[in-house]
C-alpha cells in the first residue's frame, strides 16, 4: 500500500530533478523564479524521510507526515496548496482505484479552491487538476494514454491564459505566452501518479 506512494513520490522526484531548471526559467518569466527548486526541495525531503524511516502505520498517516514535511520545506503558498493532493492521496484504495481517485481529485480541487481562492482559468495548477477530473468522470475509466494526452493539452493551454492569481497578475502581459510553472510541476507529478496507477492495474 505504502509502496505505491513511495514509488510515485520517488519517480516524481526524479523527473522533477530533470526539469527543475526549466521550471525555474518559466517562473523567472512570471513569478519569483524558484518554483522548480521549491518543488524539488519538497520532494527530496519526502524521499529522504522514507528512505531513512521504515515504520509507517498506514497510507493515511504516511501521507499526512509526507505532506506536512513537504509543506514546511517548500513554504509559502505553493507549500500549502501543492501538498493538498499529497495528503488526500493517503485515501487511495488499491482495490478501488477508479472511485478512490475520483474522490481524491474532487476533494483536492475543493480544498485548493477554498484555501487558495483560485478558480478554473486563473492560470494555476488547478487548470491541470480540473480537466483531468472531468476526463475521469466522462471516461468512467482510467486510460493512461488519454490522460497523459489531456495533461499535456491542459498544460499547453495555461500558456494562453491571463493570470488572475500570483505575481503574474501584476505583469502587463498577465503572463500570457508562458506556461504556468506550478501547472508544469503538477503535470509531472500527475503523469507519474497515473503511470503508477497503470502499473498497479496490470499487476
Ligand atoms: Mg516562489
Amino acid at each position: 500500500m505504502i509502496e505505491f506512494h513511495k514509488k510515485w513520490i520517488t519517480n516524481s522526484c526524479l523527473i522533477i530533478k530533470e526539469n527543475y531548471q526549466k521550471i525555474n526559467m518559466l517562473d523567472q518569466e512570471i513569478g519569483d523564479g524558484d518554483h522548480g527548486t521549491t518543488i524539488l526541495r519538497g520532494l527530496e525531503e519526502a524521499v529522504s524521510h522514507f528512505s531513512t524511516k521504515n515504520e509507517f502505520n498506514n497510507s493515511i498517516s504516511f501521507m499526512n507526515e509526507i505532506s506536512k514535511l513537504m509543506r514546511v520545506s517548500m513554504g509559502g503558498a505553493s507549500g500549502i496548496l501543492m501538498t493538498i493532493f499529497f495528503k488526500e492521496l493517503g485515501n487511495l484504495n488499491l482495490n478501488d482505484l477508479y472511485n478512490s481517485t475520483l474522490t481524491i481529485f474532487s476533494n483536492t480541487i475543493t480544498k485548493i479552491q477554498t484555501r487558495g481562492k483560485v478558480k478554473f482559468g486563473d492560470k494555476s495548477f488547478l487548470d491541470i487538476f480540473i480537466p483531468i477530473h472531468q476526463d475521469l468522470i466522462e471516461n468512467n475509466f482510467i486510460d493512461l494514454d488519454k490522460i497523459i494526452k489531456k495533461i499535456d493539452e491542459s498544460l499547453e493551454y495555461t500558456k494562453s491564459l491571463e493570470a488572475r492569481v500570483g505575481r503574474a497578475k501584476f505583469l502587463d502581459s498577465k503572463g500570457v505566452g508562458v506556461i504556468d510553472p506550478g501547472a508544469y510541476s503538477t503535470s509531472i507529478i500527475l503523469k507519474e501518479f497515473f503511470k503508477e496507477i497503470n502499473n498497479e492495474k496490470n499487476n
Side-chain angles (χ1 to χ4, degrees):
M1 183 76 209
I2 291 169
E3 288 314 304
F4 175 98
H5 298 81
K6 287 184 180 173
K7 272 189 268 173
W8 162 59
I9 293 168
T10 305
N11 293 338
S12 297
C13 188
L14 284 172
I15 310 295
I16 291 286
K17 194 163 194 165
E18 288 169 9
N19 288 279
Y20 81 96
Q21 284 160 320
K22 185 177 174 185
I23 300 170
N24 279 344
M25 271 156 62
L26 293 172
D27 201 28
Q28 274 155 25
E29 293 196 52
I30 64 168
D32 61 356
D34 64 357
H35 181 64
T37 305
T38 304
I39 186 73
L40 179 62
R41 185 170 64 240
L43 288 165
E44 285 185 331
E45 176 79 19
V47 172
S48 88
H49 181 61
F50 59 70
S51 310
T52 51
K53 181 181 168 185
N54 271 318
E55 295 142 39
F56 297 103
N57 295 331
N58 53 54
S59 60
I60 292 179
S61 62
F62 177 65
M63 290 310 288
N64 261 335
E65 272 182 50
I66 292 294
S67 66
K68 207 176 289 173
L69 281 168
M70 288 180 66
R71 190 170 66 237
V72 172
S73 78
M74 289 171 67
S78 66
I80 293 168
L81 299 177
M82 298 192 83
T83 54
I84 292 172
F85 182 60
F86 286 79
K87 182 168 177 182
E88 291 300 316
L89 257 182
N91 299 310
L92 186 70
N93 178 356
L94 295 184
N95 298 314
D96 192 0
L97 287 172
Y98 175 74
N99 286 307
S100 60
T101 300
L102 263 194
T103 306
I104 288 164
F105 266 70
S106 128
N107 290 341
T108 300
I109 289 166
T110 306
K111 287 177 185 171
I112 294 170
Q113 285 170 328
T114 315
R115 287 181 206 161
K117 309 226 180 323
V118 52
K119 295 185 302 294
F120 181 61
D122 283 354
K123 195 178 183 94
S124 81
F125 72 133
L126 202 53
D127 296 316
I128 306 289
F129 272 106
I130 289 180
I132 299 309
H133 184 222
Q134 286 306 322
D135 237 38
L136 287 172
I137 295 171
E138 280 161 25
N139 291 327
N140 222 344
F141 177 73
I142 299 176
D143 179 329
L144 182 64
D145 291 340
K146 265 192 177 173
I147 287 192
I148 299 277
K149 196 166 165 260
K150 188 76 189 177
I151 291 174
D152 286 334
E153 286 169 8
S154 307
L155 179 62
E156 190 58 32
Y157 186 64
T158 67
K159 211 177 191 174
S160 67
L161 293 169
E162 287 190 1
R164 287 194 287 257
V165 288
R167 292 178 186 227
K169 74 176 176 191
F170 301 112
L171 301 173
D172 288 341
S173 68
K174 304 279 181 204
V176 172
V178 181
I179 286 176
D180 182 68
Y184 199 105
S185 64
T186 297
S187 77
I188 291 173
I189 288 165
L190 288 184
K191 279 182 190 176
E192 293 311 308
F193 169 73
F194 285 109
K195 282 181 197 167
E196 210 46 55
I197 290 274
N198 205 50
N199 291 340
E200 201 62 41
K201 279 200 304 188
N202 297 330
N203 267 347

